[in-house]
Amino acid sequence: MLSLDFSGKRALVIGGSRGIGRGVVENLVSLGAEVFYTARNPIKGDTNARFLSADINYEDQVIKLFNEIDKSGQIDIVVNTAAINFCKKFDKITMDEWDKVSRLNLRAAFVVCQQSLIRMKKQKFGKIVNVSSIAGRHRSLVSGAHYVSTKSGLIGLTKQLAYEVGPYNINVNVVCPSQTMSDMLIQSMSNKSIKELSDNIPLRRIATIEDQVGPILFLCSELSSYMTGSIVDVNGGQI
């Protein structure tokens, strides 16, 4: 019988200490998975997930991260939520900012996927869920062109990987959340802007962390075993 049960599964969440990533970590743990996560800082408070320090901007640290997990056994699930954003108009973006956003949001995601697939292809099983954005599907009211470009690129990366690794029984999917009540949104938008945004969403509210975590868990589970290369929009009906 199909169920949302991750008992016996081992998962890695990239960017797992805040926002959507933290929600994924906590829910995977509660549903029985052995969970590893990496982020700039560990989760504050008690958690049954294991924090592994790594700066995913650097390939050697990503490789070291996966080698450490190898000591515990195979990796079944990888969720990539890490991202940075600078809210600037196109003509105000510096090359340094462009490179920083590109390096973390897309290049690091490529390296994480590459290391994941080296292992998943050998075991002929795996679930990868990349977290893009409504900005990558459409445009953004506040985010810069560098953020939008990398989030769009993440969708392309996901679709190509799904095509290449499907024969190995590996599912690679991408979710595209809209604005979510996370630290990043609160820091980048005023209360007035948040209210105006809410009024223009068909569901008349901004997503909660839980709204975004649910579809990710679905894509990590056996419930989505025939989905790969899928783009799942979680945006309250905005597009």
Side-chain angles (χ1 to χ4, degrees):
M1 188 175 195
L2 295 173
S3 65
L4 204 63
D5 180 5
F6 295 100
S7 299
K9 299 298 184 183
R10 189 171 289 106
L12 169 64
V13 181
I14 306 295
S17 67
R18 298 172 62 190
I20 295 171
R22 178 169 180 169
V24 173
V25 167
E26 292 174 343
N27 279 274
L28 283 174
V29 168
S30 71
L31 292 167
E34 180 183 356
V35 181
F36 301 84
Y37 73 98
T38 189
R40 291 187 183 91
N41 299 294
I43 292 173
K44 294 180 180 179
D46 294 333
T47 177
N48 289 320
R50 181 180 171 189
F51 173 70
L52 296 174
S53 179
D55 185 343
I56 62 168
N57 285 296
Y58 299 97
E59 182 182 15
D60 61 337
Q61 293 202 35
V62 175
I63 293 171
K64 183 180 178 182
L65 169 68
F66 277 86
N67 288 341
E68 182 64 27
I69 297 173
D70 287 342
K71 297 175 183 178
S72 299
Q74 75 176 39
I75 189 75
D76 303 295
I77 299 163
V78 174
V79 181
N80 178 39
T81 74
I84 57 171
N85 186 16
F86 298 109
C87 300
K88 287 190 173 183
K89 296 298 183 182
F90 184 73
D91 58 353
K92 300 297 183 182
I93 296 171
T94 67
M95 285 307 304
D96 181 61
E97 289 168 342
W98 178 274
D99 290 343
K100 284 180 178 178
V101 173
S102 299
R103 187 177 183 91
L104 181 64
N105 292 9
L106 191 55
R107 183 183 185 276
F110 164 79
V111 177
V112 167
C113 287
Q114 191 173 61
Q115 289 300 310
S116 302
L117 292 172
I118 287 171
R119 291 152 175 84
M120 292 176 175
K121 286 171 71 174
K122 291 178 181 177
Q123 66 203 32
K124 290 187 166 38
F125 174 80
K127 301 273 190 175
I128 297 176
V129 181
N130 290 317
V131 177
S132 178
S133 168
I134 188 174
R137 287 281 274 165
H138 187 43
R139 56 169 170 72
S140 175
L141 298 173
V142 295
S143 298
H146 38 9
Y147 181 81
V148 175
S149 298
T150 56
K151 288 301 187 178
S152 180
L154 192 56
I155 294 171
L157 174 66
T158 298
K159 292 179 74 66
Q160 182 63 27
L161 293 181
Y163 169 73
E164 292 188 17
V165 303
Y168 295 91
N169 191 35
I170 300 169
N171 304 84
V172 189
N173 293 291
V174 60
V175 296
C176 295
S178 61
Q179 302 85 355
T180 302
M181 291 304 294
S182 64
D183 292 342
M184 182 182 288
L185 180 132
I186 293 169
Q187 291 167 5
S188 63
M189 296 183 71
S190 66
N191 290 335
K192 181 181 178 182
S193 296
I194 290 174
K195 175 64 167 59
E196 291 174 350
L197 174 62
S198 299
D199 291 343
N200 285 287
I201 295 172
L203 289 183
R204 293 297 187 270
R205 64 181 180 85
I206 294 176
T208 64
I209 296 294
E210 290 74 20
D211 288 328
Q212 303 297 351
V213 170
I216 294 172
L217 295 177
F218 167 73
L219 292 174
C220 292
S221 77
E222 60 185 17
L223 298 174
S224 59
S225 61
Y226 202 63
M227 292 177 65
T228 196
S230 298
I231 306 168
V232 180
D233 293 312
V234 192
N235 58 37
Q238 292 182 71
I239 59 171

Coordinates of all heavy atoms in Angstrom, one line a residue, residues 32-85:
G32 N 10.3 9.2 9.5 CA 11.1 8.0 9.6 C 12.4 8.0 8.9 O 13.2 7.0 9.0
A33 N 12.8 9.0 8.2 CA 14.1 9.0 7.4 C 15.2 9.3 8.3 O 15.1 10.0 9.3 CB 14.0 10.0 6.3
E34 N 16.4 8.8 7.9 CA 17.7 9.3 8.5 C 18.1 10.5 7.7 O 18.3 10.3 6.5 CB 18.7 8.2 8.5 CG 20.1 8.6 9.1 CD 21.1 7.5 9.0 OE1 20.8 6.4 8.5 OE2 22.3 7.8 9.3
V35 N 18.2 11.6 8.3 CA 18.4 12.9 7.6 C 19.7 13.5 7.9 O 20.1 13.7 9.1 CB 17.3 13.9 7.9 CG1 17.5 15.2 7.1 CG2 15.9 13.2 7.5
F36 N 20.4 13.9 6.8 CA 21.6 14.8 6.9 C 21.3 16.1 6.3 O 20.5 16.1 5.4 CB 22.8 14.1 6.2 CG 23.2 12.8 6.6 CD1 22.6 11.6 6.2 CD2 24.3 12.6 7.5 CE1 23.0 10.4 6.6 CE2 24.6 11.4 8.0 CZ 24.0 10.2 7.5
Y37 N 21.9 17.2 6.8 CA 21.6 18.4 6.1 C 22.9 19.3 6.2 O 23.7 19.1 7.1 CB 20.4 19.2 6.7 CG 20.6 19.8 8.1 CD1 21.0 21.1 8.3 CD2 20.5 19.0 9.2 CE1 21.2 21.7 9.5 CE2 20.7 19.5 10.5 CZ 21.0 20.8 10.6 OH 21.2 21.4 11.9
T38 N 23.0 20.2 5.3 CA 24.1 21.2 5.3 C 23.5 22.6 5.1 O 22.5 22.7 4.4 CB 25.2 20.8 4.3 OG1 26.3 21.7 4.5 CG2 24.7 21.0 2.9
A39 N 24.2 23.5 5.7 CA 23.8 24.9 5.6 C 24.9 25.8 6.2 O 25.9 25.3 6.6 CB 22.5 25.2 6.4
R40 N 24.7 27.1 6.1 CA 25.7 28.0 6.7 C 25.9 27.7 8.2 O 27.0 27.7 8.8 CB 25.4 29.4 6.5 CG 25.4 29.9 5.0 CD 25.2 31.4 4.9 NE 25.2 31.8 3.5 CZ 24.2 31.9 2.8 NH1 23.0 31.6 3.2 NH2 24.2 32.3 1.5
N41 N 24.7 27.5 8.9 CA 24.7 27.2 10.3 C 23.7 26.1 10.6 O 22.7 25.9 9.9 CB 24.3 28.5 11.1 CG 25.3 29.7 10.8 OD1 26.4 29.6 11.2 ND2 24.8 30.7 10.1
P42 N 24.0 25.4 11.7 CA 23.1 24.3 12.1 C 21.7 24.9 12.6 O 21.6 26.0 13.0 CB 23.8 23.6 13.2 CG 24.7 24.6 13.8 CD 25.1 25.5 12.6
I43 N 20.7 24.0 12.6 CA 19.4 24.4 13.2 C 19.6 24.6 14.6 O 20.2 23.9 15.4 CB 18.4 23.2 12.9 CG1 18.1 23.0 11.4 CG2 17.1 23.4 13.7 CD1 17.3 21.8 11.1
K44 N 18.9 25.7 15.1 CA 18.9 26.0 16.5 C 17.9 25.2 17.2 O 16.8 25.0 16.8 CB 18.6 27.5 16.7 CG 19.7 28.5 16.2 CD 19.3 29.9 16.4 CE 20.3 30.9 15.9 NZ 20.0 32.3 16.1
G45 N 18.3 24.6 18.3 CA 17.4 23.7 19.1 C 17.6 22.2 18.7 O 18.5 21.9 17.9
D46 N 16.8 21.4 19.4 CA 17.0 19.9 19.2 C 16.5 19.5 17.8 O 15.5 20.0 17.4 CB 16.2 19.2 20.3 CG 16.8 19.5 21.7 OD1 18.0 19.8 21.8 OD2 16.1 19.4 22.7
T47 N 17.2 18.6 17.2 CA 16.8 17.9 16.0 C 17.4 16.6 15.9 O 18.5 16.4 16.4 CB 17.1 18.8 14.8 OG1 16.8 18.1 13.6 CG2 18.6 19.1 14.7
N48 N 16.7 15.7 15.3 CA 17.3 14.3 15.1 C 18.0 14.2 13.8 O 18.4 13.1 13.4 CB 16.2 13.3 15.2 CG 15.7 13.1 16.7 OD1 16.5 13.1 17.6 ND2 14.4 13.0 16.8
A49 N 18.2 15.3 13.1 CA 18.9 15.3 11.8 C 20.4 15.6 12.1 O 20.7 16.3 13.1 CB 18.4 16.3 10.9
R50 N 21.3 15.2 11.3 CA 22.7 15.4 11.5 C 23.2 16.5 10.6 O 23.1 16.4 9.4 CB 23.5 14.1 11.2 CG 25.0 14.2 11.4 CD 25.7 12.9 11.1 NE 27.1 13.0 11.1 CZ 28.0 12.1 10.6 NH1 27.5 10.9 10.2 NH2 29.3 12.4 10.6
F51 N 23.8 17.5 11.2 CA 24.4 18.6 10.5 C 25.8 18.3 10.0 O 26.6 17.8 10.8 CB 24.4 19.8 11.4 CG 25.1 21.0 10.8 CD1 24.6 21.7 9.7 CD2 26.4 21.4 11.3 CE1 25.2 22.8 9.2 CE2 27.0 22.5 10.8 CZ 26.5 23.2 9.7
L52 N 26.0 18.5 8.7 CA 27.4 18.4 8.2 C 27.8 19.7 7.6 O 27.1 20.2 6.7 CB 27.4 17.3 7.1 CG 27.1 15.9 7.6 CD1 26.9 14.9 6.4 CD2 28.1 15.4 8.5
S53 N 28.9 20.3 8.1 CA 29.3 21.6 7.6 C 30.0 21.5 6.2 O 30.8 20.6 6.0 CB 30.3 22.1 8.6 OG 30.8 23.4 8.2
A54 N 29.5 22.3 5.3 CA 30.1 22.4 4.0 C 29.7 23.7 3.3 O 28.6 24.1 3.4 CB 29.6 21.2 3.1
D55 N 30.7 24.2 2.6 CA 30.4 25.4 1.7 C 30.2 24.9 0.3 O 31.2 24.5 -0.4 CB 31.5 26.4 1.8 CG 31.2 27.7 1.0 OD1 30.3 27.7 0.2 OD2 31.9 28.7 1.2
I56 N 29.0 24.7 -0.2 CA 28.7 24.1 -1.4 C 29.1 24.9 -2.6 O 29.0 24.5 -3.8 CB 27.2 23.7 -1.6 CG1 26.3 24.9 -1.5 CG2 26.9 22.6 -0.5 CD1 24.9 24.5 -1.9
N57 N 29.6 26.1 -2.4 CA 30.2 26.9 -3.5 C 31.5 26.2 -4.0 O 32.0 26.6 -5.1 CB 30.6 28.3 -3.0 CG 29.3 29.2 -2.8 OD1 28.7 29.5 -3.8 ND2 29.1 29.6 -1.6
Y58 N 32.1 25.3 -3.2 CA 33.3 24.7 -3.6 C 33.1 23.2 -3.8 O 32.6 22.5 -2.9 CB 34.4 24.9 -2.5 CG 34.6 26.4 -2.3 CD1 34.0 27.1 -1.3 CD2 35.5 27.1 -3.1 CE1 34.2 28.5 -1.1 CE2 35.7 28.4 -2.9 CZ 35.1 29.1 -1.9 OH 35.3 30.5 -1.8
E59 N 33.5 22.7 -5.0 CA 33.3 21.3 -5.4 C 33.9 20.4 -4.4 O 33.3 19.3 -4.1 CB 33.8 21.1 -6.8 CG 33.6 19.7 -7.3 CD 34.2 19.4 -8.7 OE1 35.0 20.3 -9.1 OE2 33.8 18.4 -9.3
D60 N 35.1 20.7 -3.9 CA 35.8 19.7 -3.0 C 35.1 19.5 -1.7 O 35.1 18.4 -1.2 CB 37.3 20.2 -2.8 CG 37.4 21.5 -2.1 OD1 36.4 22.3 -2.2 OD2 38.4 21.8 -1.5
Q61 N 34.4 20.6 -1.3 CA 33.6 20.4 0.0 C 32.3 19.6 -0.3 O 31.9 18.9 0.6 CB 33.3 21.8 0.5 CG 34.5 22.5 1.1 CD 34.2 23.6 2.1 OE1 33.3 23.5 2.9 NE2 35.0 24.7 2.1
V62 N 31.7 19.7 -1.5 CA 30.6 18.9 -1.8 C 31.0 17.5 -1.8 O 30.3 16.6 -1.3 CB 29.9 19.4 -3.1 CG1 28.8 18.4 -3.5 CG2 29.4 20.8 -3.0
I63 N 32.1 17.2 -2.5 CA 32.6 15.8 -2.5 C 32.9 15.3 -1.2 O 32.5 14.1 -0.8 CB 33.9 15.7 -3.4 CG1 33.5 16.1 -4.9 CG2 34.5 14.4 -3.3 CD1 34.8 16.2 -5.8
K64 N 33.5 16.1 -0.3 CA 33.8 15.7 1.1 C 32.5 15.4 1.8 O 32.4 14.4 2.6 CB 34.6 16.7 1.8 CG 34.9 16.4 3.2 CD 35.7 17.5 3.9 CE 36.1 17.2 5.3 NZ 36.8 18.4 5.9
L65 N 31.4 16.2 1.6 CA 30.1 16.0 2.2 C 29.6 14.6 1.8 O 29.1 13.9 2.7 CB 29.2 17.1 1.7 CG 27.7 17.0 2.0 CD1 27.5 17.1 3.5 CD2 26.9 18.1 1.3
F66 N 29.6 14.3 0.6 CA 29.0 13.0 0.1 C 29.8 11.9 0.6 O 29.3 10.8 1.0 CB 28.9 13.0 -1.4 CG 27.6 13.7 -1.9 CD1 27.5 15.0 -2.1 CD2 26.5 12.9 -2.1 CE1 26.4 15.6 -2.5 CE2 25.3 13.5 -2.5 CZ 25.2 14.9 -2.7
N67 N 31.1 12.0 0.7 CA 32.0 10.9 1.2 C 31.7 10.7 2.6 O 31.8 9.5 3.1 CB 33.5 11.3 1.0 CG 33.9 11.2 -0.5 OD1 33.3 10.6 -1.3 ND2 35.0 11.9 -0.8
E68 N 31.4 11.7 3.4 CA 31.0 11.5 4.8 C 29.7 10.7 4.9 O 29.6 9.8 5.8 CB 30.9 12.9 5.5 CG 30.6 12.8 7.0 CD 31.7 12.2 7.8 OE1 32.9 12.2 7.4 OE2 31.4 11.6 8.8
I69 N 28.8 11.1 4.1 CA 27.5 10.3 4.1 C 27.7 8.9 3.7 O 27.0 8.0 4.3 CB 26.4 11.1 3.3 CG1 26.2 12.5 3.8 CG2 25.1 10.3 3.2 CD1 25.3 13.3 2.9
D70 N 28.6 8.6 2.8 CA 28.8 7.3 2.3 C 29.2 6.3 3.5 O 28.9 5.1 3.4 CB 30.0 7.3 1.3 CG 29.6 7.8 0.0 OD1 28.4 7.9 -0.3 OD2 30.5 8.2 -0.8
K71 N 29.8 6.9 4.6 CA 30.1 6.1 5.7 C 28.9 5.4 6.4 O 29.0 4.4 7.1 CB 30.9 6.9 6.7 CG 32.3 7.4 6.2 CD 32.9 8.3 7.2 CE 34.2 8.9 6.6 NZ 34.8 9.9 7.6
S72 N 27.7 6.1 6.2 CA 26.5 5.6 6.8 C 25.7 4.7 5.9 O 24.8 4.0 6.4 CB 25.6 6.8 7.3 OG 26.3 7.6 8.2
G73 N 26.1 4.6 4.6 CA 25.3 3.8 3.7 C 24.9 4.6 2.5 O 25.3 5.8 2.3
Q74 N 24.0 4.1 1.7 CA 23.6 4.7 0.5 C 22.7 5.9 0.7 O 22.0 6.0 1.8 CB 22.9 3.8 -0.5 CG 21.4 3.4 -0.1 CD 20.8 2.5 -1.1 OE1 21.4 1.6 -1.6 NE2 19.5 2.7 -1.4
I75 N 22.7 6.9 -0.2 CA 21.8 8.1 -0.1 C 20.6 7.9 -1.1 O 20.8 7.6 -2.3 CB 22.6 9.4 -0.5 CG1 21.8 10.6 -0.2 CG2 23.1 9.4 -1.9 CD1 21.7 10.9 1.3
D76 N 19.4 8.0 -0.5 CA 18.2 7.7 -1.3 C 17.6 8.9 -1.9 O 17.0 8.9 -2.9 CB 17.2 6.9 -0.5 CG 17.8 5.6 0.1 OD1 18.1 4.7 -0.7 OD2 17.9 5.5 1.3
I77 N 17.6 10.0 -1.1 CA 16.9 11.2 -1.4 C 17.8 12.4 -1.2 O 18.5 12.6 -0.2 CB 15.7 11.4 -0.4 CG1 14.7 10.2 -0.6 CG2 15.0 12.7 -0.6 CD1 13.8 10.1 0.6
V78 N 17.8 13.3 -2.2 CA 18.5 14.6 -2.1 C 17.6 15.7 -2.5 O 16.9 15.7 -3.5 CB 19.8 14.6 -3.0 CG1 20.4 16.0 -3.0 CG2 20.8 13.6 -2.6
V79 N 17.5 16.7 -1.6 CA 16.6 17.9 -1.8 C 17.5 19.1 -1.8 O 18.2 19.4 -0.8 CB 15.5 18.0 -0.7 CG1 14.6 19.2 -1.0 CG2 14.6 16.7 -0.7
N80 N 17.5 19.9 -2.9 CA 18.4 21.0 -3.0 C 17.6 22.3 -2.9 O 16.9 22.7 -3.8 CB 19.1 21.0 -4.3 CG 20.0 22.2 -4.5 OD1 20.6 22.7 -3.6 ND2 20.0 22.7 -5.7
T81 N 17.6 23.0 -1.7 CA 16.9 24.2 -1.5 C 17.8 25.4 -1.4 O 17.3 26.5 -1.3 CB 16.1 24.1 -0.2 OG1 16.9 24.2 1.0 CG2 15.3 22.8 -0.1
A82 N 19.1 25.3 -1.4 CA 20.0 26.4 -1.2 C 19.9 27.4 -2.3 O 19.9 27.1 -3.4 CB 21.4 25.9 -1.0
A83 N 19.9 28.7 -1.8 CA 19.9 29.8 -2.8 C 20.2 31.1 -2.1 O 20.0 31.3 -0.9 CB 18.5 29.9 -3.5
I84 N 20.7 32.1 -2.9 CA 20.8 33.4 -2.4 C 20.2 34.4 -3.5 O 19.9 34.0 -4.6 CB 22.3 33.8 -2.2 CG1 23.1 33.6 -3.5 CG2 22.9 33.1 -1.1 CD1 24.5 34.2 -3.4
N85 N 19.9 35.6 -3.0 CA 19.2 36.5 -3.9 C 19.6 37.9 -3.5 O 19.8 38.3 -2.4 CB 17.7 36.3 -3.7 CG 16.9 37.2 -4.6 OD1 17.4 37.7 -5.6 ND2 15.6 37.3 -4.3

